[in-house]
CSV table of all heavy atoms in Angstrom, one decimal:
chain,number,residue,atom,x,y,z
A,19,GLN,N,-63.5,85.5,-0.8
A,19,GLN,CA,-63.0,84.1,-0.8
A,19,GLN,C,-61.5,84.1,-0.4
A,19,GLN,O,-61.1,83.3,0.3
A,19,GLN,CB,-63.2,83.5,-2.1
A,19,GLN,CG,-62.8,81.9,-2.2
A,19,GLN,CD,-63.1,81.3,-3.5
A,19,GLN,OE1,-63.8,82.0,-4.4
A,19,GLN,NE2,-62.9,80.1,-3.6
A,21,THR,N,-59.7,86.4,1.2
A,21,THR,CA,-59.5,86.7,2.6
A,21,THR,C,-59.8,85.6,3.5
A,21,THR,O,-59.2,85.3,4.5
A,21,THR,CB,-60.4,87.9,3.0
A,21,THR,OG1,-61.7,87.6,2.6
A,21,THR,CG2,-59.9,89.2,2.3
A,38,ILE,N,-46.0,71.2,16.7
A,38,ILE,CA,-44.6,71.0,16.6
A,38,ILE,C,-43.9,71.2,17.9
A,38,ILE,O,-43.0,70.6,18.4
A,38,ILE,CB,-44.0,71.8,15.5
A,38,ILE,CG1,-44.5,71.3,14.1
A,38,ILE,CG2,-42.5,71.8,15.5
A,38,ILE,CD1,-44.1,72.2,12.9
A,40,VAL,N,-45.2,71.1,20.9
A,40,VAL,CA,-45.5,70.0,21.9
A,40,VAL,C,-44.7,68.8,21.6
A,40,VAL,O,-44.2,68.1,22.4
A,40,VAL,CB,-47.0,69.7,21.8
A,40,VAL,CG1,-47.4,68.5,22.6
A,40,VAL,CG2,-47.8,70.9,22.3
A,47,THR,N,-38.0,65.2,26.3
A,47,THR,CA,-38.2,64.4,27.5
A,47,THR,C,-37.7,62.9,27.3
A,47,THR,O,-37.1,62.2,28.0
A,47,THR,CB,-39.6,64.4,28.0
A,47,THR,OG1,-40.5,64.1,26.9
A,47,THR,CG2,-39.9,65.8,28.5
A,53,GLY,N,-31.2,58.8,27.9
A,53,GLY,CA,-29.9,58.8,28.5
A,53,GLY,C,-29.8,58.2,29.9
A,53,GLY,O,-28.9,57.5,30.2
A,110,LYS,N,-41.3,2.0,-2.9
A,110,LYS,CA,-41.7,3.0,-4.0
A,110,LYS,C,-41.8,2.3,-5.3
A,110,LYS,O,-42.7,2.5,-6.1
A,110,LYS,CB,-40.7,4.2,-4.0
A,110,LYS,CG,-40.9,5.2,-3.0
A,110,LYS,CD,-39.9,6.3,-3.0
A,110,LYS,CE,-40.1,7.3,-1.9
A,110,LYS,NZ,-39.2,8.4,-2.1
A,152,SER,N,-82.7,20.3,-48.5
A,152,SER,CA,-82.3,21.6,-47.9
A,152,SER,C,-81.5,21.4,-46.6
A,152,SER,O,-81.4,20.4,-46.1
A,152,SER,CB,-83.5,22.4,-47.6
A,152,SER,OG,-84.3,21.8,-46.6
A,160,LEU,N,-80.3,14.6,-39.1
A,160,LEU,CA,-79.1,14.3,-38.3
A,160,LEU,C,-79.4,14.5,-36.9
A,160,LEU,O,-78.9,13.8,-36.0
A,160,LEU,CB,-77.9,15.2,-38.8
A,160,LEU,CG,-77.4,14.9,-40.1
A,160,LEU,CD1,-76.2,15.8,-40.5
A,160,LEU,CD2,-76.9,13.5,-40.3
A,173,VAL,N,-74.4,24.9,-37.7
A,173,VAL,CA,-73.2,24.2,-38.0
A,173,VAL,C,-73.4,23.4,-39.3
A,173,VAL,O,-72.5,23.2,-40.1
A,173,VAL,CB,-72.8,23.4,-36.8
A,173,VAL,CG1,-71.5,22.6,-37.1
A,173,VAL,CG2,-72.5,24.3,-35.6
A,205,ALA,N,-76.8,12.5,-59.1
A,205,ALA,CA,-76.9,13.8,-58.5
A,205,ALA,C,-77.2,14.9,-59.6
A,205,ALA,O,-78.0,15.8,-59.5
A,205,ALA,CB,-75.7,14.2,-57.6
Side-chain angles (χ1 to χ4, degrees):
Q19 186 176 357
T21 53
I38 291 170
V40 173
T47 54
K110 285 181 181 178
S152 64
L160 293 178
V173 180

